[in-house]
Every structure is written in structure tokens, then in C-alpha cells.
Amino acid sequence: MRRLHDRLHRPFLVVYLTCVTRIDKLLARLLARPEDFSYDELRHLLFRYGYEEVRPGKTSGSRVGFVNRRTKHIIHLHRPHPGPHVKLYQIEMIIDELKEIGVIP
């Protein structure tokens, strides 16, 4: 019975550790301030910290916000266009915002 129990929980543990590692890698990458940090990477990282993407309305253009429903903290920025990479000043702003509220050390 114990072997069956161990087998059932191993995949969960592997998936959990993989997710933590991926988020840690994304955070380290963000803190390195790369020029090729994609908007999808940013969205995924912020989602893992409790933020969700919110678009203000039909006429907002490329403007988006990331809202943390628990803390009510909002990060405003513009989606990158035409390319997929976030600008360096946006990366700096996001790092400052996350440090200010204590999400990252």
C-alpha cells in the first residue's frame, strides 16, 4: 500500500519543483535586465506572484494593467509592439515596483 501511495505523489512533487525552478529562473532573468525579455515571460512571472492581466477597455490600445487582487497593487504598462520584447525602462519599473511592495527582495 505504501508503494502505491508513494507513486501517486511523486508526479505532483516533480511538477511542483519544476514550476518553482522555472519561476526562479524567470525572476533571475528579469533581475539580470535582459534586452530580450518577452511579454509572455513577464505575464507568466507576474501571474505566479498573484497578478492578472487587465485591459482597461476597447479604446485603451496597447495599455494594460496587472492587478494583484489580494494586495490591490496595480502595475501599469504598455504591451510591446511591434516586437514581443519588453523595453528596458519597463523592466526597471517592474523590478522597482515589486521591490517596493516586498514581492522580491
Side-chain angles (χ1 to χ4, degrees):
M1 183 71 169
R2 183 167 173 83
R3 287 185 182 187
L4 177 62
H5 180 73
D6 288 345
R7 285 185 203 156
L8 291 176
H9 289 290
R10 282 186 190 158
F12 172 75
L13 182 62
V14 170
V15 170
Y16 178 75
L17 291 176
T18 303
C19 290
V20 171
T21 303
R22 182 172 179 201
I23 296 305
D24 290 341
K25 286 180 182 178
L26 276 177
L27 180 59
R29 187 163 145 69
L30 177 75
L31 294 174
R33 296 158 176 84
E35 293 181 7
D36 62 343
F37 198 79
S38 74
Y39 184 77
D40 288 336
E41 289 174 309
L42 176 65
R43 185 172 43 205
H44 184 75
L45 181 67
L46 290 177
F47 175 76
R48 290 295 180 181
Y49 282 116
Y51 289 85
E52 63 182 67
E53 184 178 20
V54 178
R55 295 192 180 143
K58 293 181 181 180
T59 60
S60 65
S62 63
R63 191 178 55 181
V64 295
F66 287 93
V67 179
N68 188 317
R69 300 284 184 201
R70 188 175 46 84
T71 63
K72 308 293 188 227
H73 184 252
I74 302 171
I75 298 174
H76 295 282
L77 57 102
H78 287 265
R79 285 184 65 126
H81 56 81
H85 300 118
V86 180
K87 305 285 188 237
L88 187 56
Y89 78 89
Q90 292 174 318
I91 290 175
E92 294 286 346
M93 181 200 66
I94 291 163
I95 291 171
D96 290 344
E97 291 266 344
L98 293 177
K99 282 184 178 180
E100 184 177 310
I101 64 167
V103 173
I104 57 175

